[in-house]
Amino acid sequence: MVLRALTAGGLVAALGVGTGLWASSGDDGADGTPAGSVASQQAAAGIAADEAAAQAASPTPSRSYALSTAPRTIPSVSSHTPARGPGWRPAAGHRVVVNDASLADEGQLIAGELGMTYAGNKGDAKAGDLRLTLNRGSGANPESYAMTVRGGRVTISGPSDTGVFYGTRTLKQEVHGGATAPEGVVKDAPAKPQRGFMLDIARKYFSPSWIEDRVRELGDLKFNQLGLHFSDDQSFRIESDSHPEIVAQQHLTKAEVRKIVALAASRHITVVPEIDSPGHLGAVLAAHPELQLRNVNGVATRGAIDISKDASASLLDDLLNEYAGLFPGAYWHLGGDEYQALTVSSPATSFPQLASAAVARYGSGAGVADLATGWLDDRADTVRAHDRTMRVWNDGFFRNTSVKPASDLVVAYWTGKEIGARTPVEYLSAGRKVLNYNDEYLYYVLGEPQTFVYPTGKRIYEQWTPRVLRGTTPVSARYDAQILGGSFAVWCDLANSQTQAQVAAGIRMPLNATAQKLWDAGTPPLTWTQFKALANQLG
């Protein structure tokens, strides 16, 4: 009778110390806190008291448990040391406790999700506890964590609140649908530091609530970046104080964006803004036709701003400075792709004003590509003043220019199909850092224009890795450290081809697969059929 009551509640304190069945967690205490710390000593005292009371109340149960198996989560965990025991389930009245006030947000979130009580910073230990702890390990990956399930309790520890948050995501999946978190110790960390999802809100309006739902989805899958491409030829989609004339009627207000940014921050996701230039500026230029690039015959060039004019630079810098205050994260996307002045056979002949400006600024021998490179370097200077790390689409880097792109620009590699596009190895061998946006696998383009087809989770899961930057062939493993990660991207070229709900459904499995391969680029532990079933089970 006693055994049944204990097991039903997931409480097995009576099995406690000395059974020889619990997995070791190295130098950590039984709750995962650093051995010898005040929190460790307090927790140990509480655990001992609980176990002594339970043992005094009834004989030690004799039931034995099978060795636990690794949890099935998306993404999968790096390692699991099995142990014997009943595992852990949340229950009403069980506590979430922390050892540091900075973990309050993580504690309150998981307590609400699992129907538990958030009890704050506590040094004691009670049956059923979920304890979140910071160990601030020197040199440790800040996104790493350890999770120990033992003696009817769970401890998640990490060197930062980010790692602890990811541990709570793992636990949330483990107990989904009334399942039990397996006994033992999980140690986990991502393979790649940047794991993103990019959304084109310029060509298609997405509601704030839809974006917020994606943020929650991304957080549970351990993504850490949300890119917002909010300016293009079709529309400029975020409220502006410096240039309200450029903003589309249907747009996100700054208050709505702040709410999205705050929600993302609570899920340890950085929002990465993109104002693409000097191309893809059609919506801005509709309000400023005097800055539209025109060829020698006076014909306007779609989406292209005239980079020979000082007013063009002033307008862009106004916007970059304004939105730096709205997006406080560490990253910024400068765009730089598909500047139409450089797609003609002779840019200098077609656009003599650009050729003249290049020579005037950079000397004889400078060309239009030098002027375009200088434009991006100048915009980088503007953004760098706000302490951001910047990325540029790979076709925004040009060959054989006397003006060189700033050394701190990260290559956002998306295609090898554009005019003048270089292979990834050209950037990597020059020491550039690269992010993988491979359009062969990671581009979800509404309406499937040109040669695009909707990507499938199966193809990403079985064929793609972060080293597959262009086409289907991976670059050498020696470049792996320069590949910072990657991003799945939704582009809305034919905006009305799908509804918001259809986009959400269409990208669900590709996002799951991308999350898996950015967290662990190796061969996944599950077959695609098993992985898909797990994703459906987790919802």
Side-chain angles (χ1 to χ4, degrees):
M1 193 70 170
V2 172
L3 174 60
R4 182 158 54 250
L6 288 168
T7 304
L11 312 179
V12 288
L15 286 177
V17 176
T19 63
L21 300 179
W22 311 122
S24 169
S25 57
D27 294 332
D28 288 350
D31 67 346
T33 56
S37 68
V38 173
S40 171
Q41 294 166 6
Q42 291 173 331
I47 290 169
D50 275 358
E51 289 169 345
Q55 289 171 359
S58 62
T60 302
S62 59
R63 179 176 176 180
S64 62
Y65 293 93
L67 202 62
S68 63
T69 58
R72 288 194 168 190
T73 60
I74 299 175
S76 59
V77 300
S78 302
S79 72
H80 175 255
T81 302
R84 298 182 188 276
W88 180 89
R89 291 182 186 177
H94 285 178
R95 306 184 309 173
V96 176
V97 295
V98 301
N99 78 334
D100 191 294
S102 66
L103 294 175
D105 290 344
E106 289 70 31
Q108 290 166 359
L109 177 62
I110 191 66
E113 291 170 328
L114 300 187
M116 300 173 67
T117 298
Y118 178 68
N121 195 331
K122 301 290 184 182
D124 64 330
K126 293 185 178 180
D129 274 357
L130 165 57
R131 177 172 291 276
L132 309 182
T133 74
L134 286 180
N135 55 31
R136 303 188 188 281
S138 176
N141 182 338
E143 294 189 306
S144 66
Y145 67 92
M147 179 169 66
T148 301
V149 178
R150 178 185 297 152
R153 302 179 184 86
V154 180
T155 296
I156 297 172
S157 63
S160 76
D161 57 346
T162 301
V164 172
F165 171 75
Y166 290 145
T168 68
R169 299 308 87 192
T170 295
L171 183 65
K172 180 184 175 183
Q173 289 192 16
E174 287 183 346
V175 300
H176 179 82
T180 299
E183 204 84 4
V185 180
V186 165
K187 292 189 176 179
D188 201 12
K192 291 299 177 184
Q194 297 191 38
R195 306 174 303 281
F197 168 60
M198 198 229 71
L199 181 64
D200 172 10
I201 63 172
R203 294 180 178 94
K204 183 179 180 69
Y205 174 81
F206 289 89
S207 70
S209 62
W210 190 94
I211 298 173
E212 289 167 6
D213 284 344
R214 301 291 75 71
V215 168
R216 296 183 185 94
E217 181 180 7
L218 294 171
D220 283 352
L221 292 171
K222 303 187 178 81
F223 283 93
N224 61 8
Q225 292 182 10
L226 167 64
L228 290 181
H229 176 93
F230 63 92
S231 171
D232 214 301
D233 294 340
Q234 292 77 4
S235 295
F236 191 100
R237 292 281 189 190
I238 295 179
E239 175 186 0
S240 173
D241 299 319
S242 66
H243 289 281
E245 73 279 0
I246 69 176
V247 180
Q249 183 175 1
Q250 193 174 37
H251 64 272
L252 298 178
T253 67
K254 287 190 173 180
E256 289 168 336
V257 172
R258 289 189 185 99
K259 186 179 176 185
I260 291 167
V261 169
L263 178 65
S266 75
R267 266 62 175 182
H268 297 266
I269 294 170
T270 300
V271 181
V272 183
E274 181 191 359
I275 301 176
D276 200 348
S277 80
H280 292 280
L281 284 170
V284 172
L285 294 169
H288 290 275
E290 74 281 5
L291 300 180
Q292 178 91 46
L293 178 65
R294 297 181 180 275
N295 70 11
V296 68
N297 298 315
V299 178
T301 303
R302 177 176 169 82
I305 200 167
D306 190 334
I307 58 176
S308 70
K309 296 184 176 181
D310 291 340
S312 296
S314 296
L315 173 59
L316 262 293
D317 286 345
D318 285 347
L319 296 173
L320 295 174
N321 285 318
E322 176 181 359
Y323 290 104
L326 187 61
F327 297 99
Y331 305 104
W332 195 282
H333 203 317
L334 291 170
D337 64 315
E338 298 180 323
Y339 188 49
Q340 297 302 306
L342 291 166
T343 64
V344 297
S345 58
S346 176
T349 301
S350 296
F351 303 99
Q353 76 275 35
L354 300 185
S356 296
V359 171
R361 181 167 183 183
Y362 299 113
S364 60
V368 176
D370 291 292
L371 194 67
T373 301
W375 167 275
L376 278 177
D377 284 347
D378 290 344
R379 306 294 75 74
D381 287 342
T382 300
V383 175
R384 194 180 294 106
H386 298 283
D387 195 25
R388 304 293 195 269
T389 297
M390 297 151 290
R391 63 190 64 162
V392 172
W393 296 116
N394 63 284
D395 52 325
F397 294 82
F398 307 108
R399 280 193 183 98
N400 304 320
T401 56
S402 57
V403 179
K404 302 303 179 186
S407 60
D408 59 346
L409 300 181
V410 173
V411 180
Y413 201 99
W414 72 281
T415 190
K417 300 171 186 174
E418 295 295 295
I419 294 174
R422 287 178 279 172
T423 65
V425 170
E426 289 190 54
Y427 300 101
L428 294 165
S429 62
R432 289 274 178 190
K433 294 179 179 178
V434 176
L435 279 166
N436 190 327
Y437 289 78
N438 188 340
D439 65 345
E440 178 75 21
Y441 292 95
L442 305 179
Y443 263 35
Y444 192 97
V445 185
L446 296 197
E448 300 181 306
Q450 302 175 45
T451 59
F452 288 107
V453 296
Y454 292 128
T456 67
K458 184 176 190 293
R459 193 159 178 256
I460 296 168
Y461 189 77
E462 294 181 342
Q463 299 178 20
W464 180 81
T465 74
R467 288 198 290 117
V468 182
L469 286 160
R470 173 177 175 170
T472 60
T473 304
V475 298
S476 169
R478 70 176 177 271
Y479 296 119
D480 190 66
Q482 289 173 244
I483 302 170
L484 301 178
S487 181
F488 189 84
V490 170
W491 294 101
C492 302
D493 291 41
L494 301 175
N496 296 324
S497 300
Q498 289 190 341
T499 64
Q500 289 187 137
Q502 287 172 323
V503 174
I507 66 176
R508 190 178 71 86
M509 285 309 303
L511 278 177
N512 275 263
T514 304
Q516 172 62 42
K517 300 306 280 289
L518 287 171
W519 193 266
D520 182 353
T523 302
L526 303 179
T527 66
W528 168 251
T529 300
Q530 292 169 328
F531 182 84
K532 185 176 181 181
L534 176 60
N536 290 335
Q537 173 190 326
L538 295 173

